[in-house]
Amino acid sequence: MNLVTLSYAQYFGLFVSLSVVIYLLGKGVPPIKSVLSFLSLLLAAYLFTTLQSTGQTTLLLLNFTFGIDILTKFFVWMTFGIAIIVSFVLVSNKELSPTFHALYLINVIATVFIFLSRDLISFFLAWELMGWTTFAMIISDGWTDKLKAARKYFVWSAIGAYFVLIGFAILISQTGYYQFEPILAHIGTIPTGWLIFAVALLVAGFGVKAAMMPLHVWAPDAYSESPHEFTGFFSGVLSKAGIYGVFMAFFYFAARFEAFNMLRIHGTSIFGYIMVWIGAITAFGAALIATNQEYGKKLLAWSSVSQLGYIIFAFGIADSLGMTGALAHALAHALFKSMLFIIMAAVIMRTGTDHLPSLGGLIKKMPLSFIFAVVGGLALAGIPMTIGFTSKWIIYEAGIHGGYIFTTTLIFAASTAAFLYYYRFVYSVFLGPLHEEHKEVKEAPAYYWISYILIAIPIFYFGLYPGKLLAIISKILDTYDLPSLQTYTATTVATPLGTFNGLLIGLGFGAALLVGLILYLIGGRTKKAASPTDKYLASEVVTNEFELHYAMDFYKFLERELHGILKISAQKFYEFFEEIVRFTADLNRKLFFCGNGQAYLYYLTIILTILIFAIWRINL
Amino acid sequence: MIRKLFVLFLLVIVGFFLASVVVSVPFGAEKTIVGRYYLNNTIGETGGVNAVTSIVVLYRGFDTLGEVTVLFLAATGLAAILANTREKRKKHKEKPSLIMRVGTDYLFPAAIVFGSYIFLHGHLTPGGGFPGGVVIASGFLMLFLAQWHYKADELWLKVIESLAGMTYVLIGLIGLWKLGTFLGNFLGKGTPNMLLSAGIIPLIYIVIGIKVGSEMTGLLQNLRETTENE
Amino acid sequence: MVSPILLIAIPLFMAFSVPLWGLIWKKLPRYIPFATFGMTIAVLVSLLPQLWAKGVISVVIAGVKPPFGINLVFGPFGAFFALIIQIVALAASIYLFEYEPPEPAEKFYMLFILVVLGATGMVLTGDIFNMFVFLEITSISSYALTAIRKDGHSAEAGFKYLLLGSLGSTLFLFGIALIYGSLGTLNMADIGARIGEMNPNLLAAAVILILIGMGVEAEMLPVNGWVPDAYQAAPVPVVSIFSGVVAKAGIYALARILYTIIGLESYASLLLIFGILTLLAGELAALRQKDVRRLLAYSSIGQMGLIMLAFGTVGFTAVIGGIFHAFNHALAKALMFFALGIMAAGVGKWDMDSLEGIGRVKPYTTLLFTIGLLSTLGLPMFSGFWSKLLIIIGMVNAKYTVYASLALFGSAVEVVYFARLLGKFYSSKISNNLKDAIPESKKIFSLLGMTFIAIFILAVGIYPDALVKWIAQGAYILLNKATYIGMIIGGAIQ
């Protein structure tokens, strides 16, 4: 029996008012703000369990509909889990303003409401709310160098939201309803062209948030410039709202529509095929770029873009394997990426920088952080015994099974690149020689390593017992009448191409790691650490301009080989477009607002004449 | 040059179109429903024999109130913009002749009386508050032209103007209070053709006459002082 | 007895009386606008129960029934616009408490009251010539208020406004003359009932002339060149009146004339074309603008374009959105200008770079500015969200998807420049001009008034229902010409 029963509107209102309380109290008693926001999130998570499975609120003559099903729960618990852990870490950060904490609470609640809403209007409301609160959080610190990134994020998120809005408006105008259920019932009445247009707009709009190439340009900047602890939530969870949106647009609405499914070439949905390609290119391209980053947060940010590409790729395949893999990887990415970003935040907190060549050797100072960085890295690279292996395995199988030979190759290559950049990250930060100025660095506070452990538990659990995860996902897919994977037990997953026992390989792999560690402890220690000025000099010409540090130009050789590919930049295209808009804007201003009264009268005469001609023709 | 010709060309087109359209307006035809109604009912409804006046003050009295406000605005706006720009006064080279000075002394009261006559008889004869006020102001204009040192007292002008405007609104409000309609004719219609007839029409015309007179005077005074400092 | 006529009679009386108050105490005129609009709001609110009961309150003047006399129509549509106007005016008059008026102060207050009076008259009148008279009152006082500061710049701005404005009113009058000439009546409902008798070419000419003429006040594209100059030159409280009162009265008049009098959808959709052009021109012009006042002026043009688009759509949802957006824009722009006035006080410069980091120096005022800005952008939790949403959905509903997309492109541009503005304001790098600025303004009343507007924006953003029910009635009346005509001509006359 629940202590309280709140309606959805009350739930929303409660936490919005709580955020105001946090803001006001935080102004007066600064330390209280972070504790309060942590407690509020706990309360939010608790009260979420008491919510009824459906609910309605009438506002603006509209009937807002909310509901909870297994998919909602999957995403909401992912959101709450990461949000609470991040907020726990934030308790140790005294610098963030009360505005930030207040906005954070609204942001989390808005994200939850994206998953709860069962009508287009409240969905859009929550979507926009999430967008602008994130922007406000980034700028609430007011660092001048962040503003550009924040602005880019804000503009892109507005563009995405406007795509979504038009897509929604088309759905509403074509069916006459705005709730999910009746739209679904009337989806057959929409002309095919309109539906395709609407779904394309929706996928593009949500794709912005899901950092789908070529709509990803905001993501690396925004992820790397947002407040460090928050980035874990930003990159891990907020991007999943985009994934959720793509899922709803594509599988909830469009896939139920027969005419839409008829758009096939050789049995493959055209839409799906495009998504497979976009996903694969995103995964591979972003991974390559990530290998060439000099800043830790930028590197992880590009890695996020790459990992989101995997999810898009798997969605595009759209069979039982693909859907399962996509949802599994959504969770996996949320877990390991938030972990890595929190570790990055810890490193930045202790050393003040995320510039990789300025770091190094922190393994001795921050051993716990190192261990969990390895855990996160294992998951990221898809090494057995972690959740990353489960999800990536299924995605690979989906690709191979679906016959997407070339794109799957790209995905494989992306995985290799992931290993490269992850290696760069962990090596530059934790291994190698310690810098002079980092002699006094301490391990991250307990807040951090408690959160590491909290995140590591599901990473290992779902890695060793993949069936537990697949059970949830299959239930989701069954609820939505989508193809689901049925051949699994708690530890084994049987797929068309092979079966794996997560526990068994996990333990085997763990054992191998253990052996390696023992060998290292016995024999490896005798090796002398390299001097800070050592550098891998093969085929490199040493000049005086560069500091001879091993983390400088870590993958110089790769960069040289991939020069041509890296030069293809979506950024440049947008800059070109921006230039055109700017030119038009100036032209327009000089033309219509030139400040010359005579010119205004001139325009008046012209417009009068034009109107006369226009109307004359109508009436004569 | 080309631009000018082009504009000219456009204006010809616009003009041609408007002309071709205006031709089809049945101006002067008896068709105007409203006009016929006014002509047939003026005396019976308002007691004023001058139909134009009745229309201006009663049927469309609200517009007149607006027009009074517009005039007030023109004067106020001008004064506001020209304020503080009239410090220097230029020396005049030639004084007006004695005849002018003495003549205006005698003509001034006559102009005031004539102006008052016009607005007092507005409901009987052609004329009304606006022309009456302008005639009064023309009396002041004569003084401005002929007697350089003459200056109307701005404070009094201001107060008169204000009071007149407020009285106009008050008359309207009394109508609202007594008859339930703003500017309602709360006085008796009286006998047509008599001075004391047509209800509130003479009252309003007096107010308008005073207001217009003081406004125009103030306006002229402002203009005179600013043009002189050129 | 309370009658809508008081909404006009009270300000008129007070405006005439300002010099007399000045004789009593030199500072008294400063509080007259507040007293005036306090009274008008009280009148307006006390009329509402009657409005809900009757559907429309039509008041005849001088006891002559329309079409022979002039009537005021206090219907849901007009009354809502009257409310917008009174709220903005009241807020601006609170702001005037602590605002050093340009000399001569008395005349400034008179003009200030009269511009609001004119706009109120425009939205309440049921007679088209009377609308012209009130248009004249509004525009002439606006010219004077633009030029009142007497520096070269404001004189120039005032002159440009005068040039376009007087031409506009002339065209408008010409349009009325054509209608009167052929139908012989001036009452809007009566004209609306007989519009079919008009020669179509003549009607077309009248529509063009009225559209362009009224477009000057509504900030429509080819005739809105005065806007940036006037917004830059006029005193701050006056600028809020321009965007919150004058422009709103202009758009009301356009909608009323095109819907109720002309009532032909082909003409209403002219607004669609002009709306999208206005919107794009305004938003694009703002993109690279450095002076914040000009930027807000361009943004105001863009918002007016959006409202025109909504009215041009001729659909219930979009029209509700349009009316609602007029309300939101009026409040948000007024709030932004008030806040900007306080932020820039003591700095003397109004460009973005001079105000860089103001959010750190005057956090509260900047927060208020930000609330107005976010509402203009149409972000959720702020009232602007709902209106923009309704407009876009309404437009797509009416199959104007291309227009909706272009409008959203304009919105995206808006996001760009507003984000840049916010970035500048909240930058941690503080401009040299602000180094010795006073931390937070001591203008208690202004801040209090602004806080009320901000709370109102947030309250409407969270719970827009009460307002939208009213707006929906207004939209219904607007879209159903026959209902309006029946209410005015057929009865319901007090």
Side-chain angles (χ1 to χ4, degrees):
Chain A
M1 189 58 213
N2 293 319
L3 293 171
V4 277
T5 321
L6 291 178
S7 76
Y8 284 82
Q10 285 164 337
Y11 182 73
F12 184 74
L14 173 67
F15 289 100
V16 170
S17 10
L18 262 180
S19 76
V20 176
V21 172
I22 290 176
Y23 173 76
L24 295 176
L25 283 182
K27 284 265 169 192
V29 200
I32 211 169
K33 66 203 173 190
S34 47
V35 178
L36 212 57
S37 96
F38 173 66
L39 292 178
S40 307
L41 282 173
L42 280 182
L43 181 67
Y46 166 70
L47 287 178
F48 172 72
T49 61
T50 70
L51 287 177
Q52 256 122 33
S53 63
T54 56
Q56 289 197 333
T57 299
T58 309
L59 187 65
L60 196 88
L61 321 174
L62 294 172
N63 219 348
F64 286 178
T65 320
F66 303 99
I68 298 176
D69 60 13
I70 177 96
L71 179 72
T72 315
K73 280 185 183 160
F74 179 74
F75 277 103
V76 167
W77 283 116
M78 185 161 94
T79 310
F80 273 134
I82 307 293
I84 289 170
I85 289 169
V86 166
S87 140
F88 183 62
V89 172
L90 282 173
V91 174
S92 69
N93 188 334
K94 304 270 184 301
E95 283 167 17
L96 293 168
S97 59
T99 322
F100 178 89
H101 286 280
L103 288 169
Y104 182 54
L105 183 58
I106 299 186
N107 187 272
V108 175
I109 294 300
T111 314
V112 167
F113 265 83
I114 290 176
F115 305 132
L116 289 179
S117 77
R118 289 289 176 273
D119 69 284
L120 300 178
I121 309 282
S122 65
F123 186 102
F124 184 70
L125 195 155
W127 183 263
E128 278 274 69
L129 191 57
M130 176 189 81
W132 81 255
T133 44
T134 314
F135 166 71
M137 276 153 85
I138 301 176
I139 69 162
S140 72
D141 272 1
W143 302 339
T144 20
D145 47 336
K146 286 182 176 179
L147 291 172
K148 209 163 181 184
R151 212 167 78 204
K152 209 185 212 179
Y153 167 74
F154 195 36
V155 171
W156 272 99
S157 108
I159 290 170
Y162 293 152
F163 277 146
V164 170
L165 179 55
I166 296 206
F168 279 178
I170 289 172
L171 286 181
I172 294 173
S173 73
Q174 293 291 337
T175 59
Y177 293 95
Y178 54 89
Q179 289 104 332
F180 285 179
E181 292 289 329
I183 288 180
L184 202 58
H186 292 81
I187 200 105
T189 60
I190 304 178
T192 317
W194 276 112
L195 186 72
I196 290 173
F197 185 46
V199 170
L201 282 171
L202 290 179
V203 170
F206 294 128
V208 169
K209 194 82 22 160
M212 203 163 81
M213 271 186 186
L215 306 169
H216 67 286
V217 287
W218 59 274
D221 293 345
Y223 288 164
S224 65
E225 298 297 340
S226 52
H228 310 304
E229 293 86 353
F230 169 67
T231 313
F233 181 72
F234 190 7
S235 156
V237 175
L238 294 190
S239 58
K240 298 307 175 301
I243 297 294
Y244 174 80
V246 172
F247 179 86
M248 291 313 270
F250 203 61
F251 297 105
Y252 187 71
F253 291 124
R256 312 276 183 99
F257 181 40
E258 275 151 32
F260 193 77
N261 282 327
M262 277 192 262
L263 280 168
R264 279 169 188 276
I265 297 174
H266 301 305
T268 312
S269 156
I270 292 177
F271 246 106
Y273 196 68
I274 295 171
M275 275 169 64
V276 163
W277 268 98
I278 291 178
I281 292 172
T282 309
F284 180 66
L288 277 190
I289 297 169
T291 56
N292 282 308
Q293 296 304 315
E294 281 208 348
Y295 288 85
K297 283 191 80 179
K298 262 266 163 71
L299 187 149
L300 292 177
W302 277 107
S303 146
S304 276
V305 177
S306 166
Q307 298 300 321
L308 290 165
Y310 278 76
I311 302 173
I312 299 286
F313 169 81
F315 264 149
I317 294 168
D319 60 359
S320 60
L321 284 168
M323 304 295 289
T324 312
L327 290 176
H329 201 62
L331 180 62
H333 177 245
L335 290 171
F336 65 69
K337 198 44 67 64
S338 53
M339 172 120 110
L340 288 175
F341 269 119
I342 291 172
I343 291 168
M344 196 69 238
V347 170
I348 293 173
M349 187 181 75
R350 289 306 190 204
T351 65
T353 179
D354 69 333
H355 187 222
L356 296 177
S358 316
L359 293 165
L362 291 177
I363 183 168
K364 289 168 198 147
K365 301 292 172 190
M366 309 174 74
L368 266 172
S369 298
F370 169 71
I371 290 171
F372 285 99
V374 171
V375 169
L378 293 178
L380 174 109
I383 305 297
M385 98 190 153
T386 62
I387 186 170
F389 177 72
T390 313
S391 58
K392 279 198 174 175
W393 172 272
I394 297 171
I395 291 176
Y396 295 148
E397 284 222 9
I400 296 166
H401 187 246
Y404 298 92
I405 305 302
F406 194 79
T407 39
T408 312
T409 317
L410 272 181
I411 287 286
F412 272 126
S415 202
T416 315
F419 212 88
L420 290 176
Y421 64 70
Y422 167 67
Y423 180 66
R424 178 177 195 167
F425 170 74
V426 81
Y427 190 85
S428 308
V429 175
F430 291 105
L431 304 177
L434 188 68
H435 278 246
E436 279 298 316
E437 65 266 33
H438 296 152
K439 286 274 193 271
E440 303 300 316
V441 164
K442 286 200 242 24
E443 175 59 270
Y447 293 109
Y448 281 82
W449 46 265
I450 290 174
S451 66
Y452 301 158
I453 294 169
L454 285 176
I455 301 177
I457 291 170
I459 287 184
F460 283 123
Y461 180 73
F462 290 128
L464 295 174
Y465 296 95
K468 300 278 183 198
L469 178 60
L470 296 194
I472 300 169
I473 292 172
S474 297
K475 218 156 131 198
I476 293 171
L477 296 175
D478 288 341
T479 319
Y480 284 83
D481 292 331
L482 292 167
S484 66
L485 215 55
Q486 297 298 350
T487 50
Y488 56 84
T489 63
T491 54
T492 58
V493 178
T495 49
L497 297 176
T499 304
F500 79 90
N501 184 324
L503 190 61
L504 209 61
I505 7 174
L507 289 179
F509 215 86
L513 276 181
L514 209 63
V515 170
L517 189 66
I518 291 165
L519 285 178
Y520 168 75
L521 288 174
I522 296 166
R525 279 237 166 147
T526 53
K527 270 193 180 173
K528 211 176 163 291
S531 112
T533 50
D534 262 6
K535 187 182 162 90
Y536 179 60
L537 290 176
S539 80
E540 291 297 329
V541 182
V542 182
T543 59
N544 287 335
E545 291 162 41
F546 299 107
E547 189 197 347
L548 287 179
H549 186 269
Y550 65 94
M552 262 316 217
D553 297 335
F554 202 82
Y555 287 126
K556 185 73 181 176
F557 62 102
L558 258 180
E559 205 178 324
R560 196 158 48 212
E561 299 309 318
L562 300 170
H563 191 61
I565 297 175
L566 289 176
K567 246 173 62 181
I568 307 169
S569 159
Q571 179 77 31
K572 286 198 183 104
F573 169 73
Y574 295 122
E575 274 163 13
F576 173 67
F577 180 70
E578 213 180 314
E579 203 50 50
I580 292 178
V581 172
R582 234 179 247 160
F583 175 75
T584 324
D586 282 348
L587 189 73
N588 157 70
R589 200 173 73 232
K590 279 175 194 145
L591 198 67
F592 290 120
F593 305 103
C594 55
N596 180 346
Q598 214 168 18
Y600 297 154
L601 296 186
Y602 192 59
Y603 299 145
L604 197 153
T605 322
I606 293 174
I607 203 74
L608 216 51
T609 323
I610 292 174
L611 275 181
I612 282 170
F613 275 110
I615 289 185
W616 223 336
R617 217 194 47 212
I618 296 172
N619 285 315
L620 282 184
Chain B
M1 189 62 203
I2 291 177
R3 210 157 82 159
K4 276 181 190 162
L5 280 178
F6 183 57
V7 171
L8 211 62
F9 174 67
L10 292 185
L11 283 175
V12 168
I13 294 177
V14 173
F16 175 73
F17 172 70
L18 288 181
S20 77
V21 157
V22 169
V23 166
S24 64
V25 177
F27 280 121
E30 266 190 50
K31 199 176 161 196
T32 43
I33 317 147
V34 184
R36 219 181 311 148
Y37 176 88
Y38 289 153
L39 286 178
N40 294 339
N41 298 298
T42 303
I43 296 180
E45 282 189 359
T46 68
V49 283
N50 182 348
V52 175
T53 310
S54 305
I55 294 168
V56 169
V57 180
L58 279 179
Y59 290 119
R60 303 201 64 89
F62 202 48
D63 281 344
T64 308
L65 183 58
E67 289 303 343
V68 168
T69 314
V70 169
L71 191 65
F72 171 71
L73 262 173
T76 312
L78 198 68
I81 294 168
L82 298 181
N84 301 342
T85 56
R86 44 169 131 135
E87 295 310 317
K88 301 173 281 182
R89 294 197 63 162
K90 211 169 124 191
K91 291 273 178 208
H92 293 263
K93 283 171 194 157
E94 202 183 328
K95 279 196 157 192
S97 65
L98 181 73
I99 295 175
M100 274 186 74
R101 271 181 285 147
V102 176
T104 47
D105 273 346
Y106 286 99
L107 268 176
F108 177 68
I112 301 294
V113 170
F114 182 54
S116 313
Y117 171 81
I118 291 180
F119 63 66
L120 281 175
H121 289 74
H123 55 300
L124 302 174
T125 55
F130 286 97
V134 172
V135 169
I136 290 178
S138 70
F140 281 96
L141 180 62
M142 285 191 299
L143 291 184
F144 291 148
L145 291 174
Q147 307 188 4
W148 296 341
H149 301 292
Y150 177 79
K151 209 174 166 232
D153 187 338
E154 271 184 47
L155 182 69
W156 275 110
L157 280 180
K158 209 160 75 175
V159 170
I160 290 172
E161 200 181 316
S162 286
L163 284 176
M166 286 158 75
T167 315
Y168 195 164
V169 181
L170 273 181
I171 291 172
L173 287 176
I174 292 172
L176 183 66
W177 173 50
K178 287 234 171 179
L179 303 178
T181 79
F182 190 71
L183 286 173
N185 194 347
F186 57 86
L187 296 173
K189 286 171 203 156
T191 325
N193 287 323
M194 297 300 285
L195 186 59
L196 292 179
S197 66
I200 61 169
I201 294 180
L203 268 184
I204 288 177
Y205 262 162
I206 292 170
V207 172
I208 293 178
I210 293 172
K211 191 164 168 53
V212 170
S214 54
E215 262 158 20
M216 292 300 283
T217 309
L219 197 71
L220 291 168
Q221 179 152 310
N222 270 319
L223 281 173
R224 162 187 176 237
E225 290 181 352
T226 45
T227 46
E228 276 172 5
N229 68 10
E230 299 287 315
Chain C
M1 78 168 277
V2 183
S3 157
I5 191 75
L6 292 176
L7 292 176
I8 291 165
I10 292 173
L12 199 56
F13 185 81
M14 296 303 269
F16 286 141
S17 72
V18 168
L20 300 183
W21 300 112
L23 293 178
I24 299 171
W25 180 37
K26 216 161 175 346
K27 282 209 160 177
L28 201 53
R30 181 176 290 241
Y31 306 101
I32 297 302
F34 177 74
T36 310
F37 300 120
M39 281 192 270
T40 51
I41 284 208
V43 168
L44 209 155
V45 170
S46 64
L47 280 169
L48 290 182
Q50 220 182 329
L51 174 65
W52 301 143
K54 286 187 184 173
V56 68
I57 310 175
S58 172
V59 184
V60 297
I61 289 167
V64 191
K65 285 187 178 175
F68 307 113
I70 296 168
N71 65 328
L72 288 190
V73 181
F74 191 79
F77 183 49
F80 188 73
F81 271 77
L83 179 78
I84 300 176
I85 291 169
Q86 306 308 318
I87 289 177
V88 174
L90 187 72
S93 48
I94 292 174
Y95 190 83
L96 283 177
F97 284 180
E98 289 144 339
Y99 181 79
E100 205 43 58
E103 286 300 319
E106 271 172 16
K107 305 248 190 281
F108 174 73
Y109 295 124
M110 276 193 245
L111 292 169
F112 183 84
I113 297 176
L114 286 175
V115 66
V116 179
L117 160 96
T120 315
M122 275 169 79
V123 301
L124 287 183
T125 185
D127 185 282
I128 195 164
F129 183 76
N130 198 237
M131 186 184 266
F132 169 73
V133 171
F134 281 116
L135 169 71
E136 284 287 276
I137 295 181
T138 315
S139 50
I140 293 178
S141 33
S142 302
Y143 312 148
L145 284 170
T146 308
I148 201 165
R149 281 224 291 235
K150 293 182 285 287
D151 50 25
H153 193 198
S154 40
E156 188 194 328
F159 181 71
K160 275 178 207 160
Y161 191 4
L162 176 73
L163 196 69
L164 279 170
S166 52
L167 199 65
S169 4
T170 314
L171 294 181
F172 186 71
L173 184 61
F174 198 0
I176 295 175
L178 291 183
I179 290 177
Y180 180 70
S182 42
L183 294 180
T185 176
L186 286 169
N187 185 279
M188 294 207 272
D190 201 27
I191 299 173
R194 295 164 199 269
I195 200 77
E197 301 165 16
M198 250 183 108
N199 175 349
N201 250 336
L202 202 58
L203 181 63
V207 171
I208 293 174
L209 293 169
I210 287 175
L211 181 74
I212 300 287
M214 200 47 103
V216 177
E217 302 305 328
E219 302 178 3
M220 201 172 76
L221 179 63
V223 285
N224 58 7
W226 61 273
V227 176
D229 287 327
Y231 277 49
Q232 195 178 6
V236 164
V238 172
V239 177
S240 69
I241 293 291
F242 282 167
S243 74
V245 170
V246 178
K248 296 303 170 292
I251 192 75
Y252 167 89
L254 275 182
R256 176 56 91 201
I257 291 172
L258 287 178
Y259 277 89
T260 304
I261 299 192
I262 314 295
L264 298 174
E265 295 199 350
S266 63
Y267 288 126
S269 58
L270 269 178
L271 277 182
L272 211 58
I273 296 158
F274 278 107
I276 195 69
L277 290 175
T278 310
L279 185 143
L280 290 177
E283 302 290 19
L284 281 174
L287 185 61
R288 302 243 283 155
Q289 188 60 53
K290 286 271 180 237
D291 187 296
V292 184
R293 284 172 303 177
R294 283 183 89 87
L295 184 139
L296 293 184
Y298 289 130
S299 139
S300 179
I301 293 176
Q303 300 299 321
M304 292 309 292
L306 186 60
I307 298 169
M308 273 177 231
L309 265 181
F311 282 122
T313 305
V314 202
F316 191 53
T317 318
V319 168
I320 292 179
I323 302 173
F324 198 7
H325 201 66
F327 174 81
N328 293 331
H329 174 237
L331 285 192
K333 249 321 132 43
L335 179 61
M336 283 161 88
F337 269 111
F338 294 152
L340 186 66
I342 292 184
M343 280 149 71
V347 181
K349 287 185 183 159
W350 299 76
D351 59 303
M352 259 184 222
D353 295 323
S354 305
L355 291 173
E356 188 167 4
I358 189 89
R360 316 267 145 195
V361 182
K362 297 184 180 177
Y364 188 65
T365 323
T366 318
L367 178 71
L368 292 172
F369 183 90
T370 310
I371 288 174
L373 188 150
L374 296 180
S375 176
T376 312
L377 274 184
L379 295 175
M381 311 295 284
F382 302 99
S383 53
F385 172 76
W386 299 111
S387 47
K388 241 180 192 172
L389 185 75
L390 287 174
I391 292 175
I392 297 299
I393 288 179
M395 280 167 73
V396 177
N397 255 337
K399 301 276 182 296
Y400 293 123
T401 314
V402 177
Y403 286 100
S405 313
L406 284 172
L408 287 179
F409 171 73
S411 271
V413 174
E414 192 176 26
V415 171
V416 175
Y417 64 76
F418 272 151
R420 197 184 51 176
L421 188 64
L422 273 190
K424 281 275 183 203
F425 280 177
Y426 282 101
S427 160
S428 58
K429 199 181 106 207
I430 293 170
S431 145
N432 289 329
N433 295 303
L434 298 174
K435 283 279 165 9
D436 38 40
I438 321 138
E440 189 63 83
S441 179
K442 296 281 183 294
K443 296 185 171 176
I444 306 294
F445 286 109
S446 311
L447 287 178
L448 212 61
M450 283 151 61
T451 310
F452 272 120
I453 302 184
I455 289 173
F456 202 61
I457 287 175
L458 286 168
V460 174
I462 289 166
Y463 190 75
D465 270 32
L467 218 50
V468 169
K469 274 177 195 146
W470 179 356
I471 294 168
Q473 286 189 1
Y476 178 80
I477 289 276
L478 189 64
L479 286 167
N480 291 278
K481 184 180 163 179
T483 317
Y484 176 86
I485 294 171
M487 279 171 155
I488 305 305
I489 303 281
I493 292 169
Q494 204 180 8

